[in-house]
Every structure is written in C-alpha cells, then in structure tokens.
C-alpha cells in the first residue's frame, strides 16, 4: 500500500518572516519544542531554518542575536514535496540532497514539514532513530 506525505507530515508549520531576529526564532523553537521553522515572505516559502543553522550560520559568526535576522541563517535552496507525494519519493530526495527535513507545499503554500524522524517512525518504529524520534528531550 502506498503511503503519502500527508499521512506523516507535521501540519500547520510554524513560520517566521525573514526579518525576524535569530534570538526570537530560537525562543520560538525552545517554547514550541521545534528543531525547524519555515521562513516565509508573505505566503511564499523562502527558506527553512534549523536549530543547527542558527548556531552554525549565525551565532558562531558573532553579532547580536537580537539584531541579526534569520534571513542569513536559513537554507534557501529548498527541496520540497507535496502532500500527495509518496514516502519513497521523500526518502529518495532526503538521501540525494542530504537533508533531514523537507517542507511540504500545496499550491505554492507551505502546509507542513516531513522529517527524517517521521519516516523512521513510519517505516521502522523499533529502530534507534524511531525510538529517538518519539522521545521527549530532557530539559
């Protein structure tokens, strides 16, 4: 039976504008227990920023995180999928592009995110990645 992105994606993704500060995005990630946030310009998907992106592309370069915007930290060359794409396609794209999260776009508008952990939970929930994906972080 074919499985689809819509069946495992995280819907209603959190998004911020490109002029949102790195510090604000970090607070959103902390408060909502997220590892990635979409960057949108109006209703257009502009990028995706991960917690790692914030550190590697922004904090490590110095500057005031309250003044530095997320535009410089987000990945802009995105691979996207639609909610009706099958999971094999998503897995193939993640492998080919070495990404762990893929925005889900419908009619040009972001509607979700599918993560490597989502695939692990669906395909092999007993795997180490599957176990880690459902575990709550220690805070």
């Amino acid at each position: 039976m074919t499985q689809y992105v819509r069946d495992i994606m995280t819907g209603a993704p959190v998004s911020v504008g490109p002029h949102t500060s790195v510090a604000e995005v970090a607070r959103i990630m902390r408060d909502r227990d997220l590892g990635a946030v979409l960057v949108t310009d109006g209703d257009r998907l502009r990028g995706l920023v991960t917690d790692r992106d914030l550190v590697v592309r922004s904090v490590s370069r110095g500057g005031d995180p309250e003044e530095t915007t997320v535009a410089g930290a987000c990945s802009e060359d995105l691979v996207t999928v639609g909610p009706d794409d099958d999971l094999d396609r998503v897995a193939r794209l993640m492998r080919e592009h070495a990404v762990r999260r893929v925005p889900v776009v419908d009619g040009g508008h972001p509607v979700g995110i599918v993560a490597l952990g989502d695939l692990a939970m669906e395909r092999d929930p007993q795997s180490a990645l599957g176990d880690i994906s459902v575990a709550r972080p220690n805070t």
Side-chain angles (χ1 to χ4, degrees):
M1 181 172 117
T2 304
Q3 296 173 298
Y4 299 97
V5 169
R6 70 175 168 267
D7 299 325
I8 68 164
M9 72 180 196
T10 299
V14 174
S15 64
V16 297
H19 301 294
T20 306
S21 76
V22 166
E24 179 62 21
V25 174
R27 287 189 288 271
I28 290 168
M29 287 179 171
R30 177 199 62 205
D31 295 346
R32 298 191 184 187
D33 190 26
L34 301 171
V37 172
L38 298 179
V39 179
T40 56
D41 201 351
D43 63 349
R44 184 181 133 262
L45 179 62
R46 178 172 172 172
L48 179 137
V49 65
T50 67
D51 44 7
R52 184 177 190 280
D53 292 334
L54 293 180
V55 172
V56 173
R57 295 181 180 167
S58 184
V59 174
S60 67
R61 294 182 178 159
D64 182 351
E66 295 290 350
E67 299 296 323
T68 304
T69 66
V70 74
C74 70
S75 299
E76 293 180 325
D77 187 23
L78 296 178
V79 174
T80 63
V81 294
D84 295 324
D85 286 342
D86 66 63
L87 296 186
D88 290 336
R89 179 171 189 269
V90 176
R92 186 175 59 254
L93 287 171
M94 286 180 166
R95 187 178 302 112
E96 288 172 6
H97 297 275
V99 294
R100 294 182 176 117
R101 296 173 182 94
V102 177
V104 182
V105 178
D106 190 16
H109 305 286
V111 295
I113 296 177
V114 64
L116 182 60
D118 299 327
L119 281 174
M121 283 304 307
E122 183 61 32
R123 297 280 173 96
D124 190 5
Q126 301 305 315
S127 69
L129 183 55
D131 286 344
I132 292 167
S133 296
V134 296
R136 301 299 301 166
N138 295 331
T139 55

